[in-house]
Amino acid sequence: MSRTHSERATERGVADGYGDPLGLGPEARIGGVRDGRLYWTRGRTVGTWTPSEGRVAVGTLPTPGDGGPDAAFRLRHGRLAKRALRPLVGSWTTTNLWPLRGGTLLATVGRRVFRSDDRGRSWEPVHRLPDSSGPMGVLPTSVCLHGGDVYLAEYTLGDDPARILRSRDDGRSWETHVETTAVRHFHGVFDDPYRDDLWATSGDADDESAVGRLDGGEFVRVGSGSQRWRAVGLAFTPRAVLWGMDCSYAERVELLRLRRDGPAEPETIGRTDASAYYAATLPVDGELWVAVATAAEVGADSTAPAGRANRSGDTARVLVASSASSYETWYELAAFRRRRPLGERLPGVPTASAYGFLAADEEMGLFVNPFNARSDAGSVIRVPPEALPRIAEEASAVHAPAPGR
């Protein structure tokens, strides 16, 4: 049976008891899984979670000691300031974290990039992002390992060229690998686990929206020219690349599949009601599962055509599908209603969107991380691998293939 999205976004988020809260606390952010550890941040605190040890705080991202900007940095990124403003504008995040290899971590706090070689106990600044970068510096999809090097996609919002940087020494130093003025910015950079390819996504106007590969220091578009090619995260399968449209003003947001050896145009394999941001994959019992998270966005898209308003609802969702249906049958795993702060009633006060961040590990399962949801006290929820096949057996699909397809 196929249905539209349920209106019953549960306060616990994950439907029907498929997941368990980890107790990392409100405003925790997952940063990825490496060597059996889930890495997380809460403000500038860095920690790990494992099934045996649970939650462990490891270290603290530093405050740059360069005089005057120090106080502004603390105000913008400090926990006390965010806690004070939370009732007015909601929760917002300015920190990202990526585990690389051998205990090396990379993090951003606003426009600062930091590196640790002892699993987050100590940190050193290694790069400063352009002044036009967004409040979070870059997106969580902006770092990957490929061919022994580290890549970082800058996320500029002004007139700076769009750049992807490369580090040949595990993040200690950086050089420009790709630079272009043909796109506004890059949304992410991705290692293809099935082929020796490095992919990237860009936006935001129709002619800037593209999915493509990096080749010889150039961004080579696989496809572009419409909002169907405006993606943030990519999910890789042996036969295809999957993503969801990152477009808050679209009449319908499509989930798309680009076959590796098929037509140059992506196929619609699902639909949802808000911009799709992040994706994760998880093998379970011979099938490959793909999870896609949407955002409950606020405000207008500055690149939208005249008269096209934000159509996002107030719910961030996590949708899942498996290779058993060729990713054409999707189930709603989680739904989180956006927190509605006091600032929504006051003209001119910006408020925060709600997101669902994702991470996956073959042994530990899928981690779902609601942020700025009405009830996110558990903050991170683990869905064990064995729970995903149960969804296909017990839940109704939100989008399924047409009869006879």
Side-chain angles (χ1 to χ4, degrees):
M1 181 177 72
S2 180
R3 61 178 175 84
T4 58
H5 287 299
S6 169
E7 294 301 322
R8 54 135 191 90
T10 64
E11 291 304 320
R12 279 180 64 98
V14 173
D16 302 320
Y18 290 113
D20 302 311
L22 300 188
L24 299 186
E27 301 187 351
R29 272 280 318 279
I30 54 178
V33 183
R34 192 81 179 181
D35 300 327
R37 292 180 176 89
L38 173 72
Y39 287 86
W40 54 267
T41 59
R42 190 177 174 199
R44 291 186 292 118
T45 299
V46 176
T48 63
W49 181 91
T50 62
S52 59
E53 297 179 351
R55 174 185 181 272
V56 177
V58 175
T60 303
L61 287 158
T63 300
D66 54 1
D70 195 52
F73 185 94
R74 287 182 179 273
L75 180 63
R76 191 177 300 114
H77 307 293
R79 185 182 297 179
L80 292 179
K82 290 183 178 181
R83 185 180 300 167
L85 290 173
R86 185 178 182 182
L88 181 65
V89 302
S91 297
W92 76 97
T93 177
T94 57
T95 303
N96 292 296
L97 179 68
W98 301 272
L100 300 180
R101 57 194 161 199
T104 300
L105 309 179
L106 201 69
T108 58
V109 184
R111 300 184 185 105
R112 306 283 186 151
V113 183
F114 299 95
R115 179 186 181 275
S116 170
D117 59 9
D118 56 9
R119 291 197 171 92
R121 293 176 180 83
S122 62
W123 295 86
E124 61 175 347
V126 292
H127 183 65
R128 182 160 185 158
L129 299 167
D131 289 342
S132 64
S133 302
M136 196 162 47
V138 296
L139 298 183
T141 46
S142 290
V143 169
C144 81
L145 284 165
H146 176 78
D149 295 334
V150 185
Y151 293 83
L152 186 154
E154 294 182 339
Y155 185 74
T156 52
L157 299 176
D159 295 329
D160 293 301
R163 297 186 184 92
I164 294 177
L165 310 181
R166 178 172 62 183
S167 172
R168 301 175 187 267
D169 53 11
D170 281 346
R172 292 182 181 87
S173 62
W174 297 88
E175 63 187 14
T176 298
H177 182 62
V178 172
E179 180 173 298
T180 178
T181 57
V183 302
R184 188 185 187 201
H185 47 223
F186 287 103
H187 292 153
V189 59
F190 311 91
D191 177 70
D192 186 336
Y194 300 100
R195 300 187 182 180
D196 188 25
D197 289 331
L198 184 63
W199 293 70
T201 55
S202 69
D204 288 322
D206 284 357
D207 61 342
E208 299 170 321
S209 298
V211 174
R213 299 183 184 93
L214 304 187
D215 185 10
E218 299 290 333
F219 178 48
V220 180
R221 302 181 185 211
V222 172
S224 64
S226 76
Q227 294 297 293
R228 300 183 84 220
W229 294 99
R230 182 175 173 180
V232 177
L234 299 178
F236 296 95
T237 77
R239 296 182 179 179
V241 181
L242 279 62
W243 68 86
M245 289 168 50
D246 166 31
C247 185
S248 63
Y249 59 84
E251 293 185 5
R252 61 177 186 177
V253 174
E254 299 177 5
L255 306 179
L256 298 159
R257 175 181 59 206
L258 182 68
R259 296 185 186 271
R260 293 181 182 273
D261 301 312
E265 283 295 316
E267 307 164 284
T268 302
I269 53 173
R271 296 181 181 87
T272 186
D273 59 353
S275 294
Y277 269 61
Y278 306 117
T281 59
L282 183 67
V284 182
D285 295 336
E287 301 291 345
L288 185 64
W289 286 80
V290 171
V292 173
T294 71
E297 295 181 284
V298 298
D301 184 334
S302 63
T303 67
R308 301 296 296 274
N310 184 350
R311 301 172 64 93
S312 293
D314 70 345
T315 303
R317 307 182 192 276
V318 177
L319 309 176
V320 294
S322 83
S323 52
S325 72
S326 298
Y327 311 103
E328 294 179 350
T329 304
W330 292 84
Y331 303 92
E332 184 177 285
L333 173 65
F336 308 99
R337 288 196 180 100
R338 180 174 61 85
R339 178 179 289 114
R340 292 192 171 275
L342 297 175
E344 288 200 353
R345 306 172 190 174
L346 303 174
V349 176
T351 57
S353 302
Y355 300 96
F357 301 107
L358 301 173
D361 178 79
E362 188 170 352
E363 299 296 327
M364 293 190 289
L366 178 68
F367 295 93
V368 177
N369 179 195
F371 200 89
N372 196 39
R374 288 189 190 178
S375 178
D376 58 2
S379 196
V380 178
I381 301 163
R382 182 173 74 97
V383 180
E386 62 271 16
L388 292 175
R390 285 176 43 213
I391 296 170
E393 297 171 358
E394 301 171 3
S396 298
V398 295
H399 179 80
R405 180 171 176 175

